[in-house]
Amino acid sequence: MPNYKSRLSKLRKRMNAAGIDALVVFEPHNIFYLCGSNGGFTGAKIGLMVDANTSTLIIDKRYLEEARRTAVADKILAWTVPSYAELVEIAKKLKAKKIGFEPAYVTVKQYERLAKDFEGVQLVGVTGLVEPVRETKDAGELRKIAKAAEIGDLAFAHILEFMKPGVAELDVAIELDFFMRKHGSEKPSFETIVASGTNSAVPHATPSNKKIEAGDFVTLDFGAVVDGYHSDVTRTIVVGKARQKQKKIYGIVKEAQATALNAVVSGAICQDLDEIARDIISDAGYGEAFVHNLGHGVGLEVHEAPALGKGSETKLKPNMVVTIEPGIYLNGFGGVRIEDLVVVTKSGYKLLTHSTKDLLEL
Ligand code: ZN
Ligand code: ZN
């Protein structure tokens, strides 16, 4: 059982600093993180109010019984549409003056309702209260992510046997997804990417009916989910013999990835890591072709804080889980991305993805 008390006490410190008496959380992953209720992943109505001493979960009636069994909150109430009456009662007892909400997850309609129900209380949009707490993982979370990454490694080994000229990208994607589910993944971590030939020049290509041809680069980007926790890995291979230019591009990305990886350590600044990889790719003449950030945090969401990119001054801390994934994408030619998932440690990092990064020629 996760230590919800410790999570809430970290959040309360941040709420104090933000000067709010209570926070109404609507983002479902944040709610799950703070109390263990998972009704929110289905799009059901759910909200969690955290004040200085208590937490109150309001949840769609269909998930009420399950929440009462599994969630950890001082009060668990049915969502009575369309009012926040119960929360207002608690706020009144608290004599709350300022209540925070997550502006990115509240619709205009919801806001109007909140403003009406909480009349007389100042409602303030506050961003980044729960997410930074989620950045650092506890032992239980690390185990789940490591398990998800292990399923990814097994799936990669399996798919190498499956890919050959004439097999469609879509069939490779389905096979990857099926294999991961068979080996303990709840669902794909995100829509699996299988991009072959010139399609691999699109960083987030959707698998198509295109058949893999001899000589194609194939970029595979996929992950598993274990108990709500994600993994994320990318490997690029060549089906058949690699051409000189393919070897060259691959070599640059591999060097950028290895160099950035070796700079991962507690205290490193996220945007500096991005720059380390970007410099290598730019020096090789392909700076314009590295069109995305170096990486991102991974946990309850496949993309979460911290961002490893320009403008991100976050310092890495032990037990953060991040990806390192530089790439080069050349229109009309193809692309290469190599992505590992790592846990940050005091002295460096621990690799969670173990699939080879040598250029494979199938
Ligand atoms: Zn990925
Ligand atoms: Zn990624």
Side-chain angles (χ1 to χ4, degrees):
M1 164 89 71
N3 189 343
Y4 295 114
K5 250 193 188 158
S6 139
R7 294 177 183 183
L8 285 171
S9 88
K10 285 179 197 160
L11 172 63
R12 285 180 176 127
K13 271 189 201 140
R14 302 180 66 85
M15 285 165 51
N16 250 333
I20 51 171
D21 303 310
L23 176 71
V24 187
V25 185
F26 288 112
E27 203 289 315
H29 302 92
N30 286 345
I31 294 175
F32 183 72
Y33 182 76
L34 294 169
C35 76
S37 177
N38 57 13
F41 294 146
T42 62
K45 285 200 161 57
I46 187 166
L48 178 76
M49 186 160 91
V50 180
D51 60 55
N53 301 305
T54 63
S55 61
T56 308
L57 177 70
I58 47 169
I59 186 161
D60 188 307
K61 279 203 187 92
R62 290 170 297 164
Y63 299 95
L64 185 62
E65 279 319 303
E66 193 197 357
R68 286 196 166 136
R69 266 200 325 274
T70 58
V72 178
D74 297 307
K75 261 191 200 157
I76 301 174
L77 306 166
W79 182 293
T80 47
V81 186
S83 138
Y84 298 104
E86 289 93 350
L87 300 187
V88 173
E89 277 309 302
I90 296 167
K92 267 189 193 153
K93 273 190 205 139
L94 283 172
K95 298 195 170 65
K97 289 193 180 69
K98 243 184 184 182
I99 293 184
F101 68 93
E102 302 158 303
Y105 304 105
V106 171
T107 62
V108 173
K109 192 175 160 200
Q110 233 175 336
Y111 177 77
E112 282 171 350
R113 188 77 230 178
L114 280 168
K116 192 161 175 262
D117 287 358
F118 282 92
E119 214 190 333
V121 176
Q122 196 188 344
L123 286 174
V124 282
V126 275
T127 47
L129 281 193
V130 186
E131 289 82 357
V133 183
R134 279 170 48 191
E135 285 177 352
T136 308
K137 273 66 183 176
D138 63 33
E141 293 178 291
L142 291 176
R143 265 198 305 277
K144 289 165 188 170
I145 298 171
K147 175 77 191 145
E150 192 188 321
I151 295 170
D153 279 337
L154 288 172
F156 182 67
H158 169 74
I159 212 67
L160 292 177
E161 303 295 320
F162 184 85
M163 274 187 297
K164 42 180 77 59
V167 178
E169 293 173 351
L170 210 47
D171 287 324
V172 176
I174 291 166
E175 183 66 22
L176 269 173
D177 291 353
F178 182 73
F179 183 93
M180 289 192 289
R181 297 261 339 233
K182 277 282 204 186
H183 286 79
S185 176
E186 287 157 21
K187 57 181 180 184
S189 188
F190 50 91
E191 202 184 328
T192 295
I193 296 169
V194 178
S196 67
T198 53
N199 289 351
S200 61
V202 180
H204 274 195
T206 312
S208 71
N209 287 319
K210 179 194 169 294
K211 291 191 165 80
I212 293 169
E213 291 163 54
D216 273 357
F217 262 143
V218 184
T219 296
L220 306 155
D221 189 351
F222 57 96
V225 180
V226 172
D227 292 339
Y229 285 84
H230 296 67
S231 70
D232 188 7
V233 60
T234 307
R235 289 293 183 266
T236 303
I237 54 105
V238 173
V239 173
K241 269 247 149 280
R243 283 166 282 152
Q244 234 10 73
K245 189 169 175 185
Q246 286 174 318
K247 286 184 184 165
K248 183 184 155 198
I249 303 289
Y250 192 91
I252 299 163
V253 175
K254 191 180 171 194
E255 191 200 337
Q257 205 268 348
T259 311
L261 200 54
N262 278 328
V264 171
V265 63
S266 169
I269 296 166
C270 286
Q271 67 176 358
D272 294 352
L273 294 172
D274 179 274
E275 211 174 296
I276 289 169
R278 207 164 293 279
D279 282 349
I280 291 171
I281 291 174
S282 296
D283 289 349
Y286 294 101
E288 299 280 298
F290 178 15
V291 293
H292 52 73
N293 282 348
L294 176 69
H296 52 86
V298 175
L300 284 173
E301 290 171 280
V302 69
H303 290 134
E304 59 179 45
L308 275 68
K310 203 172 176 198
S312 174
E313 286 166 10
T314 304
K315 267 190 192 161
L316 292 184
K317 289 194 214 85
N319 297 334
M320 280 185 172
V321 176
V322 299
T323 68
I324 301 292
E325 50 176 310
I328 292 179
Y329 310 92
L330 302 175
N331 267 333
F333 178 77
V336 173
R337 179 168 64 258
I338 304 172
E339 173 179 32
D340 277 326
L341 190 61
V342 303
V343 186
V344 179
T345 66
K346 262 190 193 153
S347 57
Y349 63 91
K350 190 177 156 239
L351 208 50
L352 296 180
T353 34
H354 301 288
S355 298
T356 183
K357 287 176 273 186
D358 292 336
L359 179 55
L360 297 177
E361 300 172 288
L362 298 186

